[in-house]
Amino acid sequence: CGNGFSGKLSITDITGRTIEIIHEGDFAAGENNYFFNAHAYASGLYIIKLESADIIQQQKIIIRNF
């Protein structure tokens, strides 16, 4: 897929259970933007995970729904 890569962008709970797959497939080289509806989740700590054949990157996020 050119200079991009193939992978998966997902949200997991703190136990590692996948809550939602935001995107799975090809990612373009450079910046990519994806959106999800945080109101669909209970308030708490979640992990955004980007996985490819070569790397796994994770970022903790806090969702606060009032």
Side-chain angles (χ1 to χ4, degrees):
C1 71
N3 290 329
F5 65 95
S6 183
K8 179 169 63 173
L9 180 65
S10 61
I11 299 176
T12 65
D13 63 18
I14 58 172
T15 67
R17 182 174 59 100
T18 300
I19 303 297
E20 180 179 346
I21 296 173
I22 298 172
H23 178 77
E24 187 168 18
D26 293 336
F27 289 83
E31 184 175 316
N32 292 263
N33 295 301
Y34 295 93
F35 299 92
F36 69 97
N37 182 2
H39 292 289
Y41 306 110
S43 295
L45 180 64
Y46 294 87
I47 299 168
I48 301 286
K49 185 187 294 187
L50 178 62
E51 302 173 76
S52 74
D54 300 326
I55 194 168
I56 297 175
Q57 291 187 334
Q58 302 181 103
Q59 177 68 50
K60 293 178 186 173
I61 63 169
I62 296 173
I63 294 176
R64 292 175 35 184
N65 289 324
F66 300 100

